[in-house]
Amino acid sequence: MTTMTDSSVREFKMPDVGEGLTEAEILKWYVEPGDTVTDGQVVCEVETAKAAVELPIPYDGVVRALHFPEGSTVDVGTSIIAVGVGDGAAAAAEPVQEAVADTPATTEAEEPKPEGRQPVLVGYGVSTSSTRRRPRKGAKDPAAAQEVSAAIQAEMNGHGPATPSAPSAGDRPLAKPPVRKLAKDLGVDLATVVPSGPDGVITREDVHAAVAPAPGEASGAAPAAVAPAPSPAGPASYDTARETRVPVKGVRRATAAAMVGSAFTAPHVTEFVTVDVTRTMKLVEELKQDKEYTGLRVNPLLLISKALLVAIRRNPEVNASWDEAAQEIVVKHYVNLGIAAATPRGLIVPNIKDAQAQTLPQLAGSLGELVSTAREGRTSPAAMQGGTVTITNVGVFGVDTGTPILNPGESAILAVGAIKLQPWVHKGKVKPRQVTTLALSFDHRLVDGELGSKVLADVAAVLEQPKRLISWA
């Protein structure tokens, strides 16, 4: 993971933070050239196709250079930071800082970093107190710094804020990547734009102001339309007057590639069944009162998960994968149960390892931990590897059901629709009952119609008569 380039510098390379991942995006730098770092200190946060994780440095030293700015996508194995170590570390720090002053990593202003811990790279022991936040940068040269300082002092003395001036020809304008992209699209030279942001940073409004005609200026064209405010899609997106464009990367990019690959590789078949789950809902309420489940997440998903595990035990051939290279069907003797989770970063599918071996209380604990970890953005890449079957609960959005696409490498995925009170024929009479619709998609190369139907029918049977959890055990 590290390489000695000379006796006093170590190059820290982008590690494989998942299992076979090839690249990661640098989200945040927590250090800058000249900073002292210690073994185990987090230096940056990166986002892979599966999760956001923090990278700790594995040795002591002084940061010599950051090779990539925030927002860069870097291949695994590429050096991302140089650290001076040994006796020459401190002496080497200052010259390198000057040498990289013109790179995007050291000229673009940063927003304040969010407080609190983020996901930690699996395999590193990082202490909470070791994380250092990257300070806000000031102007590049003493003259610019004095100008900003004077403006602040004037405002404090009641003279009002000083009007910022356009950057001189020798300076690289300060602007974030989305703003630079906007300027490029609109044909605006940032060197001619008067900045209004903190520390002389050029904003979107500054760029649009440079495009619009000045008051009283003769023009045969209509004034340029003002772009809408930045969208909630994130800092990587950028706006025009009529559109918002969001770069496809991270979780969204991985999800898109996986779904396209799955849809056009595995021949999908989806079957449906509508089932009375009134007894299951009653059992959920009873378990909530059971002392053994105190503090555990008890909901319909718990019993649906157990029902699927029972169906797999009765029909083990469904828990398999297709090995194209070997032309073999690989039947798994374990179940890594995936649960599709909608998070602020997008849809992820962490899985519960060896779920078939867990008791109902253990499964409740695993589901609760999986959901809370996903919502907090702390799901590790390892937790999303090796799934065998998946459950997606679209019912939480009020949807009756769907036709889910298989996760690559898996044989089946169960969609659970909304549980609603509906008229149902029960014991010869129409009565209001709790009813839901289940949909099972499976890979028709290794699961034929009979096997898929048996699995879906078994899941429905358990949910209709949950006592089968005992009688079919």
Side-chain angles (χ1 to χ4, degrees), residues 89-141:
E94 190 63 28
V96 173
Q97 187 173 11
E98 293 297 325
V100 301
D102 288 332
T103 65
T106 59
T107 59
E108 291 163 5
E110 302 295 327
E111 294 297 325
K113 302 301 177 184
E115 297 300 326
R117 292 286 294 160
Q118 300 295 323
V120 177
L121 176 63
V122 177
Y124 286 86
V126 183
S127 60
T128 302
S129 61
S130 67
T131 302
R132 295 183 59 182
R133 301 297 178 188
R134 188 180 181 186
R136 180 183 294 276
K137 294 182 178 62
K140 287 176 50 178
D141 54 71

Side-chain angles (χ1 to χ4, degrees), residues 169-363:
D171 288 337
R172 186 173 188 269
L174 301 182
K176 293 184 178 180
V179 178
R180 295 185 183 279
K181 174 64 175 175
L182 176 62
K184 180 179 179 181
D185 292 342
L186 298 179
V188 176
D189 182 0
L190 288 178
T192 65
V193 177
V194 177
S196 64
D199 298 346
V201 177
I202 297 173
T203 66
R204 294 174 184 273
E205 291 73 18
D206 299 334
V207 174
H208 286 293
V211 175
E217 179 181 346
S219 174
V226 178
S231 74
S237 64
Y238 62 94
D239 299 331
T240 64
R242 294 171 62 86
E243 297 177 339
T244 295
R245 290 179 173 266
V246 182
V248 179
K249 54 186 177 181
V251 172
R252 175 59 59 189
R253 178 180 177 182
T255 300
M259 292 300 96
V260 170
S262 177
F264 292 97
T265 300
H268 284 58
V269 173
T270 304
E271 294 186 342
F272 307 86
V273 63
T274 302
V275 58
D276 177 3
V277 294
T278 304
R279 292 186 177 90
T280 287
M281 297 304 291
K282 289 181 179 178
L283 179 56
V284 168
E285 295 304 316
E286 292 174 4
L287 292 178
K288 288 181 179 179
Q289 308 304 319
D290 193 317
K291 293 182 179 179
E292 191 172 359
Y293 292 86
T294 301
L296 297 177
R297 183 186 297 269
V298 179
N299 54 24
L301 180 60
L302 171 61
L303 295 183
I304 293 168
S305 300
K306 195 65 175 178
L308 179 57
L309 292 171
V310 169
I312 292 172
R313 186 173 69 244
R314 289 167 55 86
N315 305 275
E317 296 85 359
V318 75
N319 188 45
S321 63
W322 182 272
D323 189 334
E324 181 66 28
Q327 286 295 292
E328 295 175 341
I329 294 175
V330 183
V331 179
K332 312 293 177 61
H333 303 304
Y334 59 90
V335 181
N336 289 346
L337 180 62
I339 304 295
T343 73
R345 296 181 60 248
L347 179 68
I348 63 174
V349 189
N351 60 75
I352 300 172
K353 309 298 184 185
D354 293 310
Q356 84 289 345
Q358 297 192 3
T359 64
L360 196 60
Q362 290 172 339
L363 188 60

Side-chain angles (χ1 to χ4, degrees), residues 147-173:
E147 180 180 348
V148 173
S149 177
I152 296 174
Q153 186 64 41
E155 185 172 2
M156 293 176 61
N157 293 337
H159 300 306
T163 302
S165 59
S168 63
D171 288 337
R172 186 173 188 269

Side-chain angles (χ1 to χ4, degrees), residues 43 45 82 92 143 154 180 182 192 214 228 245 247 259 269 273 331 355 367 384 391 399 405 411 437 444 454:
V43 294
E45 181 181 9
R180 295 185 183 279
L182 176 62
T192 65
R245 290 179 173 266
M259 292 300 96
V269 173
V273 63
V331 179
L367 284 170
M384 291 181 280
I391 295 176
V399 175
I405 297 178
S411 59
T437 299
H444 214 346
K454 285 182 177 180

